[in-house]
Amino acid sequence: MVVVLATSAAEGHYALRSGQSDIARKELIQLMNDPQTSPPEQLHLRLERAHSLRSAGRFEAARQEYAALAASDEASGPLKSYARLLIAHTFVAEKNYPAARESFRQLLATPDLPLSHAMEAAEMLREVDRLPAGLPPRDPAWSRVSLPHGGAGVPASPLTLFVSPHGEDSNPGTAQRPLATFAGAQKALRALKARGALPAGGVTVTFRGGEYRLTETVKLTAEDSGTPHAPIIYRAAPGETVRFTGGVRLRHFAPVQDAAVLARLPQEARGKVVQVNLREQGVSDFGKLHPHGFGFSPNPVTEVFFNGQAMHLARYPNEGWMQTGKIVAEKTTAGGFAFEYADDRPARWAQAKDVWLYGYWRYLWADSGIPVATIDPATRCIQTAAQPSYGAQSGMPYFAYNLLEELDAPGEWYLDRASGMLYLYPPSDVATATVEISVLSTPLVQMDGVSHVTLQGLTFELGRGDGIVINGGERCLLAGCTVRKIGGTAVIINGGSHHGVFGCDLYTLGRGGTSVQGGDRRT
């Protein structure tokens, strides 16, 4: 009998999904009248029958079925409130908005109403107030950040501090004698607050166009907060581009002439790869490669950009994957695992000291990049120096990267961290290109416990880690900003309340756009 019930139910569900409401109802009624159908199954079938009636446009009949469910002694509290919620939706479907409004209101007055049902009923009440006027059901303003400044009770900023790449932090911050850095403006604002409250309307810090190099994170704390009636705005001068960069532009590339390096390069790349000494460019922190992917914590990553596009570490194969062979050891003394390889290519990597593998080692949803401990061409065996989250098995896809020996395609690069020499296969003429490397490993901006501060129209770029991190506080706003060319997430908001990201461009990111955590389902 169980098999018959399951088959009939499946036929009824299929008919309902296919739009065959009459067939669906017949199947469901037959099951409901069967004495072998249990009470919980009866409730489920009655719900399905009500759905089929609603799908057919028979709203009054559907309401009767939903009402029977709501009145059933066998039904649970959540099922009863769900049935009542669906009754209200049938009124919306037939455009009986007064009845829908009354149904939603009665439902909201029910004690112990499940939170999800209460939230939906409240949202639908707002929608049915708009529908009779021919408006779309949702007002986009309901879920958009409201710009807090210039509103009722907040006059325009009476005080403006100016910052310029050509200024001095010893200056007073006037248009004629501007400050030079974000830190200089922060210090000036703290001194202003130490002398008394901020003026009504707050303070605007206007940055003149140009590049501002960040060698450390801009850190704002509660001491740097504004107030509801005296907010602080950091903005770009109208019509000017302001860039805060955690990286360096690289110049003076030269052809590779070192015979030992040329011997390691693929023959087809010799004469096409160029090099630059990072130490001579003022870069002494070369960063490190870390295990990454599923099961590993995010870490800063050094990146190279060519005319704004991210280049990639030299890899093999350039496209597609190799496959792991036999697993020789699931755990090794080096802390990883060992497997056989079929391709002859790894024999070329004998001199490489920092080889990495990226792959899906056991499951195709769990990726990771892990370092190589040894490569033995005699036994055709690779040992890794770290374990992926779920171990490894044969026949899984992977590729090798961070190899000077595989720098053979436009857009690839390799950094020799011992010498500080960066090698690049440029996609086009390097002499006319803008080539940049990310350097700052910590966030470009971090705001801890900060309130009533706006960043407006500013560009933040070239960080190895995250872009802008907001922890706690309230009513901080990023408006019309650009965050790009960073190795982590553009904007992270952890806790606090009423923060906003409004009209920003977030792109060329290593990990993500926005990450927002905090609050609860009501707030």
Side-chain angles (χ1 to χ4, degrees):
M1 184 62 201
V2 174
V3 174
V4 175
L5 284 172
T7 302
S8 298
E11 291 173 353
H13 296 326
Y14 176 79
L16 183 59
R17 290 194 300 270
S18 302
Q20 303 175 55
S21 300
D22 290 338
I23 297 176
R25 284 192 296 277
K26 289 178 182 178
E27 294 284 352
L28 296 170
I29 289 172
Q30 180 181 346
L31 287 171
M32 290 171 65
N33 293 331
D34 194 302
Q36 297 295 320
T37 304
S38 68
E41 288 172 332
Q42 290 276 1
L43 294 174
H44 176 71
L45 292 169
R46 185 177 289 278
L47 183 63
E48 290 291 342
R49 183 165 185 264
H51 291 340
S52 72
L53 290 166
R54 187 175 66 158
S55 298
R58 297 176 58 183
F59 299 117
E60 181 57 38
R63 282 193 285 271
Q64 291 177 10
E65 292 291 345
Y66 288 134
L69 269 175
S72 171
D73 293 335
E74 301 290 340
S76 64
L79 180 56
K80 290 180 179 181
S81 67
Y82 180 51
R84 294 178 63 194
L85 183 65
L86 292 170
I87 288 173
H89 274 287
T90 64
F91 287 123
V92 176
E94 63 182 358
K95 299 183 179 181
N96 186 348
Y97 300 125
R101 188 179 296 110
E102 183 60 26
S103 292
F104 285 125
R105 284 175 177 165
Q106 289 181 6
L107 185 61
L108 284 170
T110 303
D112 302 321
L113 186 66
L115 179 58
S116 61
H117 296 169
M119 292 175 67
E120 183 172 345
E123 185 170 317
M124 288 303 301
L125 266 179
R126 292 201 293 179
E127 292 189 7
V128 295
D129 286 339
R130 293 171 56 83
L131 290 170
L135 297 171
R138 290 191 56 78
D139 182 348
W142 290 347
S143 57
R144 284 182 179 169
V145 174
S146 298
L147 297 178
H149 307 307
V154 182
S157 301
L159 175 62
T160 298
L161 295 176
F162 291 89
V163 185
S164 167
H166 310 294
E168 297 286 344
D169 280 344
S170 58
N171 286 343
T174 62
Q176 295 74 29
R177 298 180 61 200
L179 301 163
T181 65
F182 203 121
Q186 179 185 21
K187 183 178 179 181
L189 284 171
R190 287 184 174 184
L192 178 65
K193 292 176 71 174
R195 295 194 294 269
L198 294 174
V203 180
T204 296
V205 177
T206 297
F207 292 90
R208 303 304 305 268
E211 179 178 297
Y212 296 81
R213 172 80 192 282
L214 298 179
T215 57
E216 60 183 11
T217 299
V218 174
K219 292 184 178 181
L220 303 181
T221 67
E223 187 180 356
D224 302 300
S225 296
T227 69
H229 297 288
I232 297 172
I233 304 174
Y234 295 91
R235 69 167 189 173
E240 300 183 21
T241 300
V242 175
R243 297 169 55 235
F244 291 94
T245 175
V248 171
R249 180 172 180 178
L250 303 178
R251 297 177 172 85
H252 312 304
F253 282 87
V256 176
Q257 295 181 336
D258 187 318
V261 174
L262 288 170
R264 291 177 61 189
L265 283 172
Q267 185 173 359
E268 61 270 27
R270 295 168 192 169
K272 299 175 182 177
V273 173
V274 295
Q275 66 181 37
V276 65
N277 190 313
L278 294 186
R279 288 191 175 92
E280 294 176 357
Q281 305 283 312
V283 179
S284 57
D285 178 4
F286 306 139
K288 297 195 321 184
L289 293 175
H290 300 271
H292 63 94
F294 193 94
F296 293 102
S297 300
N299 285 292
V301 56
T302 303
E303 294 184 286
V304 174
F305 298 88
F306 190 96
N307 287 337
Q309 299 298 311
M311 302 292 95
H312 57 271
L313 284 167
R315 56 166 279 184
Y316 178 83
N318 289 329
E319 300 289 342
W321 310 82
M322 297 180 283
Q323 285 192 339
T324 54
K326 175 185 176 182
I327 303 299
V328 177
E330 293 186 357
K331 292 185 179 180
T332 67
T333 56
F337 67 98
F339 67 95
E340 292 180 354
Y341 60 85
D343 198 309
D344 291 331
R345 197 79 170 195
R348 298 179 52 178
W349 308 337
Q351 297 183 58
K353 294 182 174 59
D354 196 16
V355 186
W356 285 68
L357 306 178
Y358 173 86
Y360 295 83
W361 304 104
R362 183 174 289 273
Y363 303 112
L364 293 178
W365 45 264
D367 65 318
S368 56
I370 53 179
V372 168
T374 62
I375 300 173
D376 187 346
T379 60
R380 304 174 70 85
C381 180
I382 294 177
Q383 285 195 48
T384 69
Q387 280 277 353
S389 297
Y390 296 102
Q393 66 182 19
S394 61
M396 298 305 291
Y398 76 99
F399 63 77
Y401 64 101
N402 197 46
L403 284 156
L404 179 63
E405 289 79 0
E406 298 300 341
L407 211 169
D408 61 354
E412 289 191 324
W413 64 279
Y414 170 79
L415 172 58
D416 185 332
R417 287 177 167 78
S419 67
M421 193 69 73
L422 184 142
Y423 301 93
L424 172 69
Y425 194 137
S428 60
D429 185 4
V430 72
T432 60
T434 298
V435 184
E436 300 161 306
I437 185 170
S438 57
V439 176
L440 185 61
S441 294
T442 53
L444 299 177
V445 177
Q446 183 165 320
M447 304 166 71
D448 295 326
V450 179
S451 301
H452 302 286
V453 168
T454 293
L455 305 180
Q456 180 178 330
L458 306 172
T459 295
F460 301 90
E461 61 184 8
L462 291 172
R464 292 176 180 171
D466 298 316
I468 297 169
V469 178
I470 299 173
N471 297 313
E474 63 176 313
R475 297 195 183 277
C476 290
L477 175 68
L478 273 63
C481 290
T482 297
V483 185
R484 63 190 181 191
K485 296 184 288 188
I486 62 169
T489 298
V491 181
I492 296 177
I493 299 175
N494 291 318
S497 67
H498 296 90
H499 297 309
V501 181
F502 186 92
C504 294
D505 293 324
L506 316 174
Y507 60 93
T508 313
L509 310 169
R511 192 158 54 244
T514 57
S515 172
V516 181
Q517 302 179 55
D520 55 40
R521 294 191 68 177
R522 288 191 182 279
T523 63

